[in-house]
Amino acid sequence: FGSSNTFEKTMQRVLKTGQRLPSRAALTLQRSRHAQNLRCSFGSVGHIGQSNMLGLQNAPLLTGNHRAKGMVPCFETSLSNYATRQQQISHDHSSRMHSTAATAAIEEDTSAKTASTADATPSFKSTPDRKYEFFQNVEITPDGVAVVRIDCSGKSVNTISFAMADEAKVMWEAEIHSNEDIKAVVFLSAKPNMFIAGADIFDLQAVEDKQDLVTIIEDSLTFFQRMKSKGVPLVCGIDGPALGGGLEWALWCDYRVCSDSDKVKLGLPEVKLGLLPGFGGTQNLHPLVGLQNAMDMMLTGKEVRAPKAKKMGLVDAVVAPQSLESVTIQSALDLATGKLKPKRKPKSWMNRALEDTSLGRKLIWNQVEKMVKKNTQGNYPSPGAIIQCVKYGLEHPKDKYTNERKQFANLAATPESESLIGIFDGMNQLKKHDFGDTGDIKVQQVAVMGAGLVRMICNWVYPNELGGWWILEWRCEFIMWRYTAVLSAIFLPHVCNTSTHVAASLTPTKKSLPLSCFAHVHPLPWSITPGIPSLLIFYFASFRSASFPSDQFHSNPLRRCHLQMGAGIAQVSAERGYNVLLKDRNDESVARGMSHVHKSWDQKKKRKRMTMFERNINASNLVGLSDQNPSWHRHFENTDLVIEAVFEDLQVKKDLLANVEEITGDHCVFATNTSAIPIRDIAAGSRRPQNVIGMHYFSPVPKMPLLEIIPHEGTSDAAKAAALQVGMKQGKTCIFVKDVPGFYVNRCLGPFLVEVSALLKDGAGLEDLDRSMVKFGMPVGPITLADEVGIDVTSHVASFLSKADLGSRMDGGDVGLMSKMIEKGWLGKKSGQGFYTYNGKKKTINNEAKAYVNQFVDTKLDLSMADMQDRLVTRLVNEAAKCLEDEIIANPTVGDIGMVFGTGFAPFRGGPFRYIDQQGVGNFVDKMNRLADKHGHQFEPCQLLKDYASIDKKFHN
């Protein structure tokens, strides 16, 4: 039984269930069934990384179309009373150990788990009408075809649990194996739009010694081999997800029929949980679809639809859903009588040369291993284990299944798998809430205010008579409710590195402002003190071209920046079936937003991610409106939720809220997409403050999966439930966050960004910073991240948080260096230049920016990669822990999910709180104390971390 600890826990479970002491394998099965009655499929694992596991390090660029790809799981999760009680006992014990002010943050809310126990599936009782818990009674047709209908009792999906595997053996032996009249066997799902969604991941979690999985998997594999030994055709009919263990079940069959329903998806996504297909998938897939296709499916975890599955040979026939059962049964009968022979897709001569020769396979393995190394940075062990299993199986066919299950058990024991499963589990926990029903708020129509903005920027540098330079910057912004042109003039003497910005705004009389709108700039009387930035007060004399001598000024090329936040929100809403109103100030603005959405759909159709029918349905869900449409008020009368995505200005948002409240019903929820303004300030003075809530989307909306929902103190539960309902239907992973500056994700990024500037001042190279964090497991480094987000946006966030309530935690660096980059027009990728220079898809270091940053170096330290990682990660993780201490987030699970999906925090580390658990909270606190001694008080660990370290408590049990 292993250690005495394990033995004691084993005996507790045996005594608790009142059963006799079973065999080791059976004991493991019982332990899993009684400790956690969590029926959930890792076949339908959520979208943790990009569209593939090898892109897990690209988490901040997570695609938002994962629901369209069928990668959002459907399940119910519940805890047994016993497991809940054990957690409560542990909680009570730990609570008594704390006496500091942070104790409240340490205490975990177990009410949601306790409530979930009421939903636990009652014990199954066999009756003549229903003999089995996981199968309907076996039917045998007059022609001798046995029809097995998979139907996990009390569950919305079919999953392969340990209990189901045991019952399948009993059912097979009792009903089928010894029956000589059975000529063929058909497997169908009794649930609509379903086959088998995968294996039960929480059975796996309940096995304490992961090496026990070798025996458990061997028992399951024996069942499949027993099925084959009967010597009759095995046929499955698939009318929904066949993922993970579900597809592996199908691979053991001789013939596969699937419907052309859009619910059908086939795949082996175990890699996304740090695992591999353990029921023969690594050995049975490639003989059907070819080595290259098989490796692509297993290493990326991608799902394929029915047409592609037929084309690649994964299924043998595709039929209409109404015909699936009859065609499957007839196919089984025809296979038994010899009328039908499975036809395998012949390989091309090129694929035969690559896949069926030793030299060709060597080339494939070299390319695959090279790609895996590049994309995982060696941080994910499962891709390498999958490659090993396939290679070993080809070289040692007799032991291929034995090797596969050993590799599976080894992976299940890794911290990477534990972290990825924790993310998956956390995603599903966040779908539950205790807000009750949405009441009168039944969201069917969503309005989005603000289609997006277009900003154009152009700079001129002009020498002046005092030996300095005038920098003239022209900006034209098209924003809902605002249409402004701004001309800024800055005087930069040779001896000064700072500048003063003065801008004038005007409302143009024309619909557009060409560059030729500049007049002569006439300075008024002014005086100057050498070495101090001076101010040019200017005015527009006339709308005619500025006459700067061409040989005396330099101009940055015109930069045109599209920010389509509102259009993105409208897109994901329309794709999920909502009636969507996209509203902006004029027809031109609406047209830009609509064009952005339609182009996105056209690209999806081109890439075969969307059919023309689906595109047209989505387009019919979207209606564009502007102030120029007299009827727009009438459209808004039936709106249930309004999401504003307008300019970040408090008064603009308050005016918009007042306008919306006048024309919408009392039930309508107003959601603001602000990234900084307190929700309570927006709600102040409104007619219905209880219906005001924050919904902070991340850009680009269709790709970023996280949504922060921010209620203020007066937000009603019905409004919270409505916001959650809409966010989940949009395909977002939603977290609730307290109404504080920066909310959660941006708040955590504040100290991180400050430390980036501190490292630059200490002589860290731009590329070195990027490499260090990519090696840690981030999708991109902090320098690339700043360029991707925009230097201006990054600077705004850092500056805003520096003035907020974070105090000394924002010390140690100087984010002001980015403001100078903004003045130079280096805004990042969107302007073609930032820390890097962008030429199409090519990215090179911006030598001018590099030289500029070097001016800020105070002391050139000899910084190793570990030094940079420690300083950046500790600042980020400590702020996450401080957010938990201050109750900005409800629990560590919310914190982990928010960081992984909002910043790309290394998924294989499970988020900041699992990372601390793996490091050991005491070790982490010691590391921060050492950094504080060396670099300053900004590294002081928060009180919550100190309290956890004092009792060696983990954030996740």
Side-chain angles (χ1 to χ4, degrees), residues 411-472:
L411 289 175
T414 61
E416 292 82 5
S417 178
E418 179 186 4
S419 296
L420 293 171
I421 291 173
I423 295 173
F424 170 62
D425 186 17
M427 289 172 60
N428 299 310
Q429 290 182 32
L430 294 181
K431 293 180 180 179
K432 296 183 176 182
H433 65 83
D434 55 1
F435 305 132
D437 193 11
T438 57
D440 295 333
I441 308 173
K442 306 296 183 185
V443 181
Q444 295 180 329
Q445 181 164 292
V446 175
V448 181
M449 308 288 279
L453 69 86
V454 178
R455 176 184 295 146
M456 293 184 290
I457 304 170
C458 195
N459 289 6
W460 288 266
V461 181
Y462 184 73
N464 66 75
E465 68 276 10
L466 296 179
W469 300 86
W470 291 117
I471 298 180
L472 303 179

Side-chain angles (χ1 to χ4, degrees), residues 112-344:
K113 295 181 179 179
T114 305
S116 69
T117 61
D119 300 327
T121 305
S123 58
F124 175 79
K125 294 182 179 180
S126 177
T127 65
D129 293 333
R130 179 68 186 253
K131 300 178 183 179
Y132 305 104
E133 182 178 359
F134 301 97
F135 302 91
Q136 291 187 357
N137 290 355
V138 177
E139 301 175 19
I140 301 178
T141 69
D143 296 317
V145 178
V147 180
V148 178
R149 301 181 192 278
I150 304 167
D151 184 17
C152 294
S153 178
K155 306 296 178 183
S156 61
V157 297
N158 295 325
T159 59
I160 303 176
S161 62
F162 293 165
M164 180 199 181
D166 276 1
E167 190 176 76
K169 300 172 191 174
V170 174
M171 179 272 299
W172 184 266
E173 295 298 331
E175 308 280 349
I176 297 173
H177 198 78
S178 301
N179 191 335
E180 299 295 336
D181 295 330
I182 293 177
K183 300 176 181 177
V185 180
V186 164
F187 297 101
L188 299 168
S189 170
K191 300 182 187 297
N193 302 318
M194 173 56 55
F195 183 62
I196 301 175
D200 189 328
I201 191 172
F202 296 106
D203 271 357
L204 173 65
Q205 282 186 305
V207 178
E208 295 178 7
D209 184 355
K210 302 306 181 187
Q211 290 305 311
D212 288 345
L213 290 170
V214 175
T215 304
I216 295 171
I217 295 173
E218 185 178 9
D219 291 342
S220 299
L221 213 63
T222 302
F223 164 68
F224 290 124
Q225 292 169 333
R226 178 71 168 168
M227 288 195 319
K228 298 288 288 185
S229 69
K230 182 169 175 60
V232 300
L234 306 176
V235 183
C236 65
I238 302 170
D239 188 30
L243 299 170
L247 180 57
E248 290 180 280
W249 188 306
L251 291 175
W252 282 98
C253 295
D254 303 296
Y255 200 82
R256 287 153 292 279
V257 182
C258 76
S259 76
D260 57 7
S261 166
D262 59 0
K263 304 291 184 183
V264 171
K265 47 192 177 182
L266 305 96
L268 297 173
E270 288 87 349
V271 70
K272 295 176 185 176
L273 295 181
L275 300 170
L276 56 77
F279 293 148
T282 63
Q283 311 303 317
N284 297 340
L285 181 61
H286 62 81
L288 285 178
V289 303
L291 189 59
Q292 297 171 81
N293 284 332
M295 297 309 298
D296 185 40
M297 286 182 65
M298 290 187 290
L299 292 176
T300 64
K302 67 170 56 173
E303 300 161 357
V304 297
R305 302 291 177 170
K308 185 175 181 180
K310 175 68 169 66
K311 184 177 180 180
M312 67 194 304
L314 186 55
V315 299
D316 299 280
V318 177
V319 300
Q322 299 85 346
S323 306
L324 178 67
E325 181 173 328
S326 60
V327 171
T328 304
I329 293 173
Q330 187 61 48
S331 298
L333 183 60
D334 290 345
L335 285 168
T337 59
K339 293 181 181 179
L340 179 65
K341 300 289 185 184
K343 295 181 180 179
R344 299 290 172 242

